[in-house]
Amino acid sequence: MYLYLHIPFCKSKCIYCDFAVVLYKYGGQQAYVDAACQEIQARFKNIPPQPITTLYVGGGTPSLLPASLYQQIFDCLNQYTTSADNVEITLEINPEAMADDSAAYRALGFNRVSVGIQSFDDAELKKLSRIHTAQHAIDAIHRLNKAGFN
């Protein structure tokens, strides 16, 4: 089974984004996680546990959600699903928008990241209304490697 979980929170809205987003500063993260768990329960409670082979967490900026809230989502999913032996769990990350150290996400079971680097040219990043610089992106990649993400 393949699952996509949308996390709508962002520090700012990029000019090219068509996704439903909520600015992080307005809060609502716990309420969103509670609603996601209710949705998981409603969709899975009447079917036998299915093995998850891929979980992709996109957004928004999913890396703004703290690891503790992902733990709540994973606990809820684990009530109704199983994990395949080689499950792929991906987290989209913005180089300048992480609620926790990347090692905290790795410890939860995320084993793949998709880093939102549209360019390594600072002028282009500014035109796209990105909040990171090329150097921030390079630093983020090094931190992710250090945490065990290849």
Side-chain angles (χ1 to χ4, degrees):
M1 171 178 16
Y2 309 102
L3 293 178
Y4 172 80
L5 177 62
H6 183 77
I7 305 297
F9 302 103
C10 289
K11 280 190 173 181
S12 64
K13 181 148 173 129
C14 297
I15 59 172
Y16 56 85
C17 180
D18 288 332
F19 291 107
V21 297
V22 175
L23 294 184
Y24 188 78
K25 66 182 178 182
Y26 296 121
Q29 290 82 13
Q30 182 65 59
Y32 188 81
V33 168
D34 293 344
C37 286
Q38 289 175 357
E39 181 74 14
I40 290 166
Q41 179 184 19
R43 291 192 180 266
F44 292 106
K45 69 180 179 182
N46 294 321
I47 61 173
Q50 303 286 316
I52 295 175
T53 56
T54 300
L55 173 60
Y56 190 94
V57 182
T61 308
S63 56
L64 281 174
L65 205 61
S68 61
L69 293 180
Y70 279 114
Q71 184 64 60
Q72 292 176 30
I73 292 170
F74 290 175
D75 288 346
C76 185
L77 275 171
N78 288 335
Q79 292 178 35
Y80 303 101
T81 63
T82 60
S83 293
D85 290 337
N86 57 348
V87 62
E88 180 179 271
I89 306 174
T90 303
L91 178 67
E92 282 186 0
I93 291 177
N94 183 315
E96 267 306 289
M98 292 185 66
D100 286 317
D101 183 85
S102 50
Y105 298 108
R106 184 80 172 125
L108 274 177
F110 285 101
N111 52 23
R112 184 173 178 271
V113 292
S114 175
V115 185
I117 302 171
Q118 282 65 32
S119 175
F120 284 99
D121 180 297
D122 287 340
E124 286 182 4
L125 290 167
K126 190 172 183 171
K127 285 179 192 174
L128 293 171
S129 68
R130 300 296 292 168
I131 62 173
H132 70 275
T133 64
Q135 189 59 53
H136 292 142
I138 291 167
D139 293 345
I141 291 169
H142 289 299
R143 285 191 310 273
L144 289 163
N145 283 171
K146 189 175 179 180
F149 292 103
N150 296 324

